[in-house]
Every structure is written in structure tokens, then in C-alpha cells.
Amino acid sequence: MTITEDRSSESTTIKVEGRLDTTSAPDLENRIRDVSHHCKVLIMDLSAVEYISSAGLRVVLQTHKIMAGLRGKMIVKNPSSFCRQVFEATGMDGVLSIEN
């Protein structure tokens, strides 16, 4: 998994590429922890995620909760078709802010 970050005055975008699973989820969790306190809008670009496991889902949901607790917002941007299917199957599409 590759994680890239782009900060602007308005938001921080975290782009995730590859597999978001048990092995890689802690890396994303650490990166989110580092940037979440420095932004009001966190955009998680999942367009290049080919697989997401329950560990990856946990990090996405945890990030949503962290940002809400900080009075911020998390947006899932361009989820891959696999991610979208998983979000729909788990009901997370009704909880998360998802944009194409």
C-alpha cells in the first residue's frame, strides 16, 4: 500500500493505493493520527484501493469518528468499485460522506 498526502489551506487529502488490509491498515491509521489534528476537512481518496478488509473499514470508520470529534469532516472521495461494494454491503455508505 502507498499513502500520499496533499495539504492545502482548506483541506488535507490522503490518497491510498493498493490493498488496505490487516497488514497495511496500521500504517494508514498512524498517518491519519498525524494529520487529523491539523485540518478541518480530511479527504480520503480511495480510487486506487483494489481491496479493503474489515481492518481497513475499521480505520475508515475510526477516521470518520475522529474528525467528527474534532468538529471536522471526513470525505471519502472516488472510492474504487470494490470499496463502494463493501461500503454498500456493510451499510457504511449511509454513514460516510462519499463523493465521486
Side-chain angles (χ1 to χ4, degrees), residues 5-95:
E5 180 181 325
D6 182 29
R7 292 185 189 201
S8 73
S9 61
E10 300 292 317
S11 63
T12 298
T13 300
I14 300 287
K15 182 169 184 166
V16 182
E17 299 179 51
R19 294 176 59 89
L20 182 49
D21 55 21
T22 304
T23 304
S24 59
D27 293 335
L28 179 58
E29 189 173 16
N30 290 334
R31 180 66 73 87
I32 296 296
R33 192 176 302 121
D34 291 342
V35 302
S36 62
H37 296 285
H38 305 290
C39 66
K40 285 292 182 188
V41 178
L42 178 63
I43 300 167
M44 191 177 296
D45 183 340
L46 302 179
S47 60
V49 172
E50 58 196 42
Y51 174 79
I52 186 168
S53 71
S54 59
L57 287 173
R58 182 187 57 77
V59 173
V60 172
L61 186 58
Q62 181 181 17
T63 302
H64 171 76
K65 290 178 180 181
I66 287 170
M67 292 306 295
L70 294 171
R71 294 189 180 5
K73 182 176 183 177
M74 184 192 81
I75 300 168
V76 175
K77 184 110 175 171
N78 299 324
S80 66
S81 61
F82 187 86
C83 285
R84 186 171 292 281
Q85 289 173 357
V86 171
F87 292 157
E88 289 171 1
T90 59
M92 285 181 60
D93 61 330
V95 174

